[in-house]
Amino acid sequence: MKAAVITFPGSNCDMDMYHALESFDVDVDLLDDQASDLSAYDAIFIPGGFSYGDYLRSGAVAKFSPAMDAVKVAAENGQLVVGICNGFQILTEAGLLPGQLLVNEQPGFICDEVNLVVENPDSNFTNTMSKGDVLKVPIAHGEGNYVTDEVTLKELEDNHQVIFRYQENVNGSMNKIAGITNKAGNVYGMMPHPERAVDALTGNDSGRAFFESLLHAVDQKARA
Amino acid sequence: MSTQQTNPMANEPSPDMIAEKRIYADWGLTDHEYDLIVDHLGRRPNYTEAGIFSGMWSEHCSYKKSKPALRKFWSKNERVLQGPGEGAGILDIGDGQAVVFKAESHNHPSFVEPYEGAATGVGGILRDIFSMGAQPIAVLDSLRFGQLDNAKTRQIVDGVIAGIAGYGNAIGIPNLGGEIAFDESYAGNPLVNVMSVGLVNQNEMKVGQAKGSGNTIIYVGAKTGRDGINGASFASAEFSSTEESDRSAVQVGDPFLEKLVMDATIDAIKKYGKSIIGIQDMGAAGLLSSSSEMASKAGTGIELNLDLVPQREAALTPYELMLSESQERMLLVVQKGEEQPVIDLFEKAGLDAVAVGTVTDDGRYRLNFHGETVADVDIDFLTNAPEPKLAQEEPARLKEASASQYQPNVADANQVLLDLLAQPTIASKASLFRHFDSQVRADTVVKPGGDAGVTRIRGTKKALAMTTDVNSRYAYLNPFVGGQMAVTEAASNLVTTGALPIGMTDCLNFGSPDNPEVYYELHQSVEGITDMAKRLNTPVISGNVSLYNETDNKAILPTAMVGMVGLIADNKNITRAEFQNDGDQVYLVGTIGDTFNGSEIQKMQTGEIAGQLADFDVDAAQANQDFVLQAIDAGLVTSAHDLSEGGLGVALAEATFPNDFGLQADFAGTTAQLFAEVPGRFVLSVPSKQATAFEQKMTETKAVVAKLGQVTKDTVIAIQTKDGQVTVDQKAAKASYQNAIPQLMAE
């Protein structure tokens, strides 16, 4: 698999994602916000951090970068696009995923490990898991409170676009939503950080299942 | 509206006015110091010159009053690659790698503007680390506040926590720990001490020196504005409750810009390390101190053209340009003729990078502005403030202190334990530090909440443990022993993770050194730290001094904070503080006597701390630490926790909390001694099948090790003592420990 990690000025989880992918022997390129052609990549990762400082709304500036134009093209081409934390915020700002991430219900940044429940085990990101499986994954955000309008929320649920829910609602998200895909299933965003949980030495490797699923999906696609 | 260009300096007082109205005194210069300057120059200094002397001769920049104490620190051993005097100290950790660290205080600004004060404290210490060429890998903070029943204190706590989170989380350097304690002496003078640790390849280390006449001074990063003007002088004065604090002397931080500066600086050193002669961050007294110190260290001179300094406000005067403490700025000295690639790299990152001056060989500090020379002084004179001789006097309370130890009331020992667990200094701080990103960079092995934070070094089997510590109540009762105990406690924290302590930094937080009793405490604390540092082979490689922490002539407790780093050679030995398995055997390493003066239980039951601190057997503490490390290295230990505030009773309870175990223990001492405090004691858990091997080791050590009992899957913490027992529900104890701070903060 060939992957790209896009580093915006202010991204700070780019190297974590890079190292996580490397630990699965993925061929990874680090690209910057000027990247214009992403056609060579099976999967494109938008990492966590504070893109352009995020002094406005999180992700609100990043969506205007050339790289995001290229990401839109890749998404339309059916390549996998994954946004983690700030990446999720950027994807919603860019309109590639529905809804928005507001300030946590209890305002303030939270760093913790939380249980995620697998809602849809058939996605590109959960295909090695079963419905109801629980993964303990790190979170680190101040704006992770997922909201959308009622029609969209119903659509998300009806189309099985909700991939993970929080076991306990840490940030006030509607329907405890932790991660969603677009309708086509190739664009995915989540607030938790699976890339921080890939090595047993750090006390948590439960994020590996996420990457294994993604690799499996790419592999299946290549065979198809 | 007039369009006429006026000289911003036109309204500045003349040299004669400065003398006659003693304007220099408002900036902290004494009459004697002013006279020395006049004598040296052979004339009265102009406004710019008087200003730069006031900045450089402030205690914050010159350490003129603390230097006699600082010279007592021990700073050399086989690992030390860089000792005090640079942005940060550096220790060899093998494989061509080195660890870089320093702690710094941001106390005064954090009282006036808690958010920005704390945020820029993080920013400042990070620049110290990456100015050495190192990648920062961790931040720790040692915080002291007044009691939480005070609304102003709660507001300061909220602001400081949010400020550290706001800056540290955005820049993406994990917060690996530290400690938070509360005492009313800090109500008007909270302490915000921030430590940062970095990693560098030894062949990429840099120092802040302006070598080589003709080389170019390059200004990098944020533009200069009017924030924090003469903040160094502000930080060198005490507060008064009747005077408005000086808000304009507090800087404003921009972590996004700092991240750009950090990444670009590290990148520039990797790519153009040969061209970059020296780097220093612009901290206290900004452009002034960074440029003059770099030249002073190299024995050169400096000439700056202030018209070239990037500015974000109009009509800045030379005084303002030199003394502004605008954040996120660095000064580089680059080999003449090799500037362009370095400038290009910073500009590509969206940063200002401007040649603003040159290194000279005449030892002068010369500033040009609008075609005029506005300052021309000798650099050695400027950077070596006269050191006043200050008196020391042992405080009366120490001379008169009673030798007898406080005898706690433990009639209801169960309640005593529950109450101690809810004391703010002991209770869980998770509700505060959960706002800090402790896992970014994905290298964190032991997160905050244990005895020390641990981060792995990617690509090696090594890991680094780090901690900060001081119990200022012990130092209040005996500053020398308090210093020894702070070092012992920090080293104990590291040892519990399996790390060998290798070196330390410090923040010396005290009241006014002009008070002979405070000055005595400062010297004694340093001597106590040095004594223990030598014994443990942990040199002091960097540090910081914060004096004048007093309001209305009432000083804080003497708080010589120690930040320490330990090396773990093989990450398979990393050990945690909490019990891991039902059935593991629990041992106590070290002896416990009636040491209650200065303890949490004395404070809780009497409302004060008093009496003499009990004798402290440093050899025993060291033997205990050695034993713990050997047992961990031998792979016999599943958890290790050191005893600190609240003693053995609290340590045992804490070890049950994270994984929800019970405990069945027999303690040979008294019930009261469960709450005695003395550093360098440990609780270890050992798997049953390793117990024989462990007990064999017990016979081979000078340390006194005794079996206490075992970890259970019950929900009870039960400790039999010589004269009674403590039996508490584990869930009730944990609730007491976890809920205390959130409840107090919610009031």
Side-chain angles (χ1 to χ4, degrees):
Chain A
M1 168 170 139
K2 202 162 161 52
V5 176
I6 299 178
T7 304
F8 295 96
S11 295
N12 63 28
C13 303
D14 45 340
M15 291 312 294
D16 302 358
M17 181 57 81
Y18 180 87
H19 289 304
L21 289 165
E22 270 202 324
S23 77
F24 289 92
D25 295 324
V26 172
D27 179 8
V28 201
D29 287 341
L30 274 176
L31 306 178
D32 66 19
D33 61 338
Q34 302 301 310
S36 56
D37 180 3
L38 300 172
S39 56
Y41 301 100
D42 301 303
I44 297 134
F45 293 84
I46 307 177
F50 292 74
S51 50
Y52 305 94
D54 273 347
Y55 292 124
L56 190 56
R57 270 187 335 272
S58 294
V61 179
K63 73 174 167 190
F64 295 112
S65 66
M68 283 313 295
D69 291 335
V71 167
K72 281 180 192 164
V73 173
E76 281 161 24
N77 288 343
Q79 292 156 266
L80 296 183
V81 174
V82 176
I84 304 290
C85 199
N86 190 223
F88 187 12
Q89 294 163 340
I90 294 169
L91 289 175
T92 59
E93 283 289 335
L96 288 170
L97 288 173
Q100 238 190 336
L101 294 141
L102 303 187
V103 170
N104 296 345
E105 194 173 40
Q106 279 266 327
F109 191 98
I110 326 166
C111 176
D112 212 334
E113 288 184 321
V114 299
N115 285 332
L116 300 183
V117 182
V118 177
E119 178 63 30
N120 174 358
D122 303 321
S123 79
N124 290 317
F125 314 95
T126 47
N127 56 48
T128 61
M129 311 171 201
S130 305
K131 186 173 166 89
D133 278 0
V134 176
L135 280 68
K136 193 174 190 182
V137 180
I139 56 163
H141 61 250
E143 297 177 19
N145 178 1
Y146 183 82
V147 296
T148 189
D149 61 88
E150 280 185 25
V151 176
T152 309
L153 188 65
K154 186 167 184 313
E155 269 181 28
L156 283 174
E157 296 289 359
D158 291 349
N159 297 335
H160 306 290
Q161 287 170 249
V162 177
I163 307 301
F164 287 107
R165 292 188 212 276
Y166 301 107
Q167 198 168 53
E168 307 225 344
N169 202 345
V170 282
N171 51 28
S173 292
M174 283 182 168
N175 292 11
K176 299 187 186 175
I177 285 173
I180 56 167
T181 62
N182 62 351
K183 232 177 230 169
N186 67 318
V187 178
Y188 174 71
M190 76 191 297
M191 290 311 295
H193 288 272
E195 81 281 12
R196 294 186 182 186
V198 293
D199 187 339
L201 176 64
T202 65
N204 186 352
D205 62 356
S206 58
R208 294 192 73 83
F210 171 82
F211 291 97
E212 282 159 3
S213 297
L214 196 147
L215 283 162
H216 181 69
V218 170
D219 194 41
Q220 292 294 104
K221 198 174 155 192
R223 282 162 206 260
Chain B
M1 205 173 113
S2 167
T3 55
Q4 198 185 332
Q5 282 283 322
T6 54
N7 184 341
M9 296 167 68
N11 292 326
E12 284 180 349
S14 67
D16 292 343
M17 261 167 82
I18 293 167
E20 284 150 20
K21 296 195 169 169
R22 295 182 65 245
I23 292 171
Y24 57 84
D26 296 341
W27 298 336
L29 283 174
T30 65
D31 291 338
H32 172 65
E33 287 169 340
Y34 177 79
D35 292 342
L36 284 175
I37 296 164
V38 174
D39 279 354
H40 180 86
L41 295 177
R43 58 179 168 82
R44 286 173 166 174
N46 64 30
Y47 193 82
T48 306
E49 289 167 336
I52 66 177
F53 276 102
S54 80
M56 290 307 293
W57 287 12
S58 68
E59 172 60 27
H60 201 66
C61 283
S62 72
Y63 296 108
K64 62 189 171 190
K65 293 177 179 174
S66 47
K67 257 185 188 164
L70 299 180
R71 289 195 187 99
K72 296 175 180 171
F73 274 134
W74 174 68
S75 302
K76 283 200 170 103
N77 78 353
E78 64 285 355
R79 284 190 192 272
V80 179
L81 300 173
Q82 177 64 59
E86 281 291 341
I90 308 183
L91 294 175
D92 187 348
I93 55 167
D95 308 322
Q97 293 181 308
V99 63
V100 182
F101 57 89
K102 189 187 181 197
E104 200 162 78
S105 60
H106 235 215
N107 303 336
H108 284 66
S110 299
F111 176 71
V112 180
E113 283 282 3
Y115 184 97
E116 292 299 344
T120 55
V122 176
I125 192 66
L126 288 171
R127 287 193 297 282
D128 279 331
I129 302 303
F130 68 76
S131 73
M132 308 302 291
Q135 169 66 55
I137 57 170
V139 169
L140 300 97
D141 19 67
S142 174
L143 309 176
R144 293 292 179 279
F145 301 108
Q147 304 282 15
L148 287 174
D149 55 10
N150 176 325
K152 169 78 180 164
T153 292
R154 292 196 295 273
Q155 186 199 337
I156 293 171
V157 172
D158 272 336
V160 166
I161 297 294
I164 292 169
Y167 207 100
N169 296 347
I171 197 162
I173 307 301
N175 193 302
L176 279 196
E179 17 81 71
I180 307 175
F182 304 88
D183 185 279
E184 55 270 26
S185 84
Y186 304 109
N189 295 90
L191 303 184
V192 175
N193 292 179
V194 190
M195 173 175 170
S196 181
V197 180
L199 198 59
V200 68
N201 292 323
Q202 290 178 23
N203 59 9
E204 290 171 344
M205 296 189 310
K206 286 288 161 199
V207 289
Q209 296 201 1
K211 282 188 186 146
S213 178
N215 285 336
T216 304
I217 315 282
I218 297 181
Y219 171 115
V220 164
K223 291 177 168 51
T224 297
R226 282 195 178 87
D227 46 339
I229 301 279
N230 217 345
S233 298
F234 159 70
S236 304
E238 54 282 274
F239 288 136
S240 156
S241 58
T242 54
E243 283 173 42
E244 186 66 22
S245 300
D246 191 355
R247 274 168 195 272
S248 72
V250 181
Q251 315 84 333
V252 178
D254 179 350
F256 172 61
L257 197 57
E258 174 115 331
K259 176 151 173 62
L260 299 182
V261 173
M262 176 177 79
D263 291 349
T265 302
I266 294 168
D267 197 26
I269 292 166
K270 289 208 183 295
K271 288 189 174 127
Y272 307 113
K274 282 214 175 84
S275 302
I276 298 173
I277 310 294
I279 307 183
Q280 188 151 330
D281 94 290
M282 295 195 220
L287 180 55
L288 165 65
S289 70
S290 54
S291 57
S292 60
E293 282 171 9
M294 284 173 93
S296 166
K297 282 185 275 186
T300 55
I302 289 271
E303 181 156 359
L304 297 179
N305 182 350
L306 301 188
D307 300 329
L308 301 176
V309 172
Q311 300 168 35
R312 69 172 126 87
E313 292 178 67
L316 288 170
T317 65
Y319 169 85
E320 290 170 325
L321 286 164
M322 298 315 295
L323 287 158
S324 163
E325 292 187 8
S326 291
Q327 298 290 291
E328 294 92 26
R329 304 179 301 162
M330 306 288 288
L331 208 59
L332 274 59
V333 176
V334 177
Q335 187 75 40
K336 183 181 164 68
E338 298 174 13
E339 302 87 348
Q340 205 53 46
V342 178
I343 290 173
D344 290 347
L345 184 148
F346 282 98
E347 286 185 343
K348 183 165 185 287
L351 298 165
D352 277 309
V354 182
V356 295
T358 46
V359 180
T360 66
D361 59 3
D362 62 4
R364 304 293 295 178
Y365 192 69
R366 206 175 290 114
L367 305 176
N368 300 318
F369 180 75
H370 289 200
E372 270 179 63
T373 298
V374 292
D376 185 354
V377 299
D378 183 84
I379 284 196
D380 274 342
F381 186 66
L382 177 65
T383 54
N384 287 290
E387 290 178 22
K389 281 241 176 309
L390 300 180
Q392 293 185 48
E393 190 184 323
E394 185 179 3
R397 68 163 195 281
L398 299 184
K399 285 186 267 191
E400 294 157 7
S402 159
S404 67
Q405 289 291 316
Y406 170 67
Q407 287 303 315
N409 175 356
V410 291
D412 187 350
N414 297 346
Q415 195 58 44
V416 167
L417 177 57
L418 294 176
D419 290 346
L420 277 172
L421 288 167
Q423 293 302 300
T425 290
I426 291 174
S428 170
K429 315 299 185 302
S431 62
L432 303 176
F433 65 68
R434 79 193 293 252
H435 296 302
F436 307 150
D437 193 338
S438 58
Q439 290 181 282
V440 61
R441 298 183 66 79
D443 289 327
T444 303
V445 180
V446 179
K447 286 181 281 187
D451 287 328
V454 179
T455 180
R456 65 162 160 198
I457 302 176
R458 218 181 259 277
T460 73
K461 284 165 77 180
K462 291 181 293 191
L464 291 169
M466 52 200 75
T467 186
T468 65
D469 235 295
V470 58
N471 185 321
S472 54
R473 289 173 181 164
Y474 303 161
Y476 179 73
L477 297 186
N478 187 327
F480 180 87
V481 176
Q484 288 180 317
M485 286 180 162
V487 176
T488 304
E489 171 72 25
S492 296
N493 287 341
L494 299 181
V495 161
T496 61
T497 67
L500 176 72
I502 58 171
M504 55 194 267
T505 183
D506 64 86
C507 272
L508 305 175
N509 308 276
F510 289 85
S512 166
D514 307 329
N515 175 341
E517 295 192 350
V518 170
Y519 203 51
Y520 173 88
E521 292 173 340
L522 171 66
H523 278 266
Q524 289 291 306
S525 294
V526 168
E527 286 178 23
I529 288 172
T530 294
D531 175 73
M532 206 65 210
K534 284 182 182 163
R535 290 170 190 272
L536 300 180
N537 196 21
T538 52
V540 179
I541 61 164
S542 59
N544 160 266
V545 181
S546 172
L547 303 178
Y548 302 99
N549 291 290
E550 55 182 71
T551 300
D552 301 338
N553 298 320
K554 184 101 175 65
I556 59 165
L557 298 180
T559 314
M561 189 283 283
V562 166
M564 200 180 266
V565 171
L567 180 62
I568 297 168
D570 187 340
N571 58 34
K572 78 173 183 342
N573 286 333
I574 296 172
T575 305
R576 291 163 206 271
E578 60 271 18
F579 293 143
Q580 299 292 326
N581 310 299
D582 166 29
D584 282 359
Q585 306 296 302
V586 178
Y587 295 85
L588 170 65
V589 182
T591 54
I592 297 174
D594 283 333
T595 49
F596 297 109
N597 289 350
S599 66
E600 195 67 36
I601 196 169
Q602 182 187 35
K603 178 75 179 175
M604 182 173 85
Q605 296 190 334
T606 70
E608 60 168 14
I609 43 169
Q612 286 179 15
L613 202 58
D615 289 340
F616 177 48
D617 183 346
V618 290
D619 294 325
Q622 202 176 345
N624 296 343
Q625 291 178 351
D626 290 346
F627 174 76
V628 171
L629 260 189
Q630 287 163 17
I632 291 175
D633 278 347
L636 302 173
V637 177
T638 46
S639 78
H641 187 27
D642 80 306
L643 274 52
S644 57
E645 287 82 6
L648 176 64
V650 165
L652 287 171
E654 285 173 339
T656 70
F657 293 153
N659 296 326
D660 288 322
F661 286 112
L663 173 76
Q664 200 74 42
D666 267 304
F667 172 51
T670 64
T671 302
Q673 285 169 351
L674 280 176
F675 310 111
E677 293 182 16
V678 54
R681 272 67 179 158
F682 301 86
V683 169
L684 305 185
S685 67
V686 174
S688 289
K689 63 176 194 298
Q690 305 274 29
T692 313
F694 181 85
E695 287 176 11
Q696 176 61 35
K697 260 208 166 335
M698 282 164 54
T699 65
E700 299 161 3
T701 172
K702 278 189 289 177
V704 178
V705 188
K707 184 160 172 197
L708 277 178
Q710 57 275 320
V711 180
T712 69
K713 53 175 184 268
D714 290 351
T715 57
V716 176
I717 299 168
I719 309 165
Q720 282 288 331
T721 67
K722 190 161 79 178
D723 57 357
Q725 60 179 20
V726 170
T727 310
V728 295
D729 179 61
Q730 190 266 355
K731 287 197 164 42
K734 186 173 171 177
S736 186
Y737 178 75
Q738 286 184 331
N739 297 340
I741 300 272
Q743 278 167 4
L744 285 164
M745 288 298 291
E747 271 166 26

